[in-house]
Amino acid sequence: MYQVRMSDGVRIAVYEYGRRSRGHSILLVHGWPFDHRIFEYQLEPLLEQGYHVIAVDLRGFGASDRPAGGYTYDRMAMDLYEIVKFLELKKVNFIGFSMGAAIVLRYMRLFRGYRVKKMLLIAAIAPQWEGPQGIDAAQVQALRQLAKNDRPNMAEYLIHTQFWAKPKSKALENWLIQMALSASGLATRHCLEALIQEDGNKDLNAVKVPVFLLQGDQDKMAPPSLGSFLQEKIEGAQLEFFKEAGHGILYEQREILNQRLLEILSI
């Protein structure tokens, strides 16, 4: 791990694995309120196939700096752009999970798809979380109040009740809860507000590369209707639903998902 200083002085943690022998790279962008470790069970299959993989901790999460502000999609997309430039990446496959997918979509509009080869969006919370295609307002407000007043309870509520299609082991849930609680409290609250308030509809028209939408058919946080809306609005986007998977599709259907990721990346 090393840190890359952004144009506003914030240092972003970057984790680089493998060599650039294939001529293109994979950039993993995690979701809220986690960090790069959310991709733990995707990393090894990618490396076994010889891919050059970069994972980042978004500002306020993991080992990155924890500034007071800058938790907008514009600024976090700028962070990705500066990392791509710093590493002199030529062709990048973006894999964005949850909020990470929305940030990747913003990158496409702000930087005209700079160096992007294709996009794989997993359980994408985009273009808007609350609304006709997203989750209901009551669920959003419950998370907002918990994030403001009782963040440990928010993390438990998120993992216990919103993340899975079927119950998982206590150990796995505790690991994810601790990962969520390791984030900055400010980042957790501000990024939740970004999820609620940011409007990414304009981002969808800017996508000019192949897009693959991978989603659980029982996702409570990114409902199937949200995936269908993205497929309709993003030209040429391909949508796939995974049976018996919720928002935690990275774990619930990891073998099937990982195989599909490898198939898409090989195209």
Side-chain angles (χ1 to χ4, degrees), residues 74-92:
D74 284 5
R75 179 61 250 187
M76 291 186 284
M78 172 70 81
D79 292 343
L80 298 182
Y81 172 72
E82 293 182 7
I83 289 168
V84 169
K85 290 194 70 176
F86 176 84
L87 295 177
E88 299 181 340
L89 303 179
K90 303 302 181 184
K91 296 179 181 179
V92 188

Side-chain angles (χ1 to χ4, degrees), residues 185-248:
L186 282 173
T188 300
R189 290 187 289 275
H190 285 303
C191 284
L192 177 57
E193 290 304 315
L195 277 164
I196 296 169
Q197 297 177 12
E198 293 260 12
D199 183 350
N201 280 283
K202 293 181 179 178
D203 302 334
L204 309 184
N205 297 326
V207 179
K208 306 299 181 185
V209 302
V211 176
F212 299 85
L213 304 166
L214 310 174
Q215 186 171 349
D217 67 347
Q218 299 180 44
D219 196 328
K220 298 175 184 177
M221 298 183 67
S225 57
L226 202 54
S228 297
F229 181 80
L230 287 172
Q231 181 187 33
E232 177 186 344
K233 296 298 181 180
I234 300 175
E235 184 177 357
Q238 298 185 40
L239 172 62
E240 301 177 38
F241 287 111
F242 291 73
K243 294 181 178 180
E244 298 184 350
H247 203 62

Side-chain angles (χ1 to χ4, degrees), residues 17-26 45-53 90-93 117-118 261-267:
Y17 308 90
R19 299 180 179 180
R20 305 187 192 191
S21 58
R22 290 189 173 211
H24 60 265
S25 305
I26 297 168
L46 293 173
L47 293 177
E48 287 176 348
Q49 295 301 313
Y51 284 105
H52 176 231
V53 183
K90 303 302 181 184
K91 296 179 181 179
V92 188
N93 297 293
K117 181 179 180 182
K118 63 171 68 85
L261 291 177
L262 294 175
E263 290 170 355
I264 293 169
L265 289 167
S266 70
I267 299 174

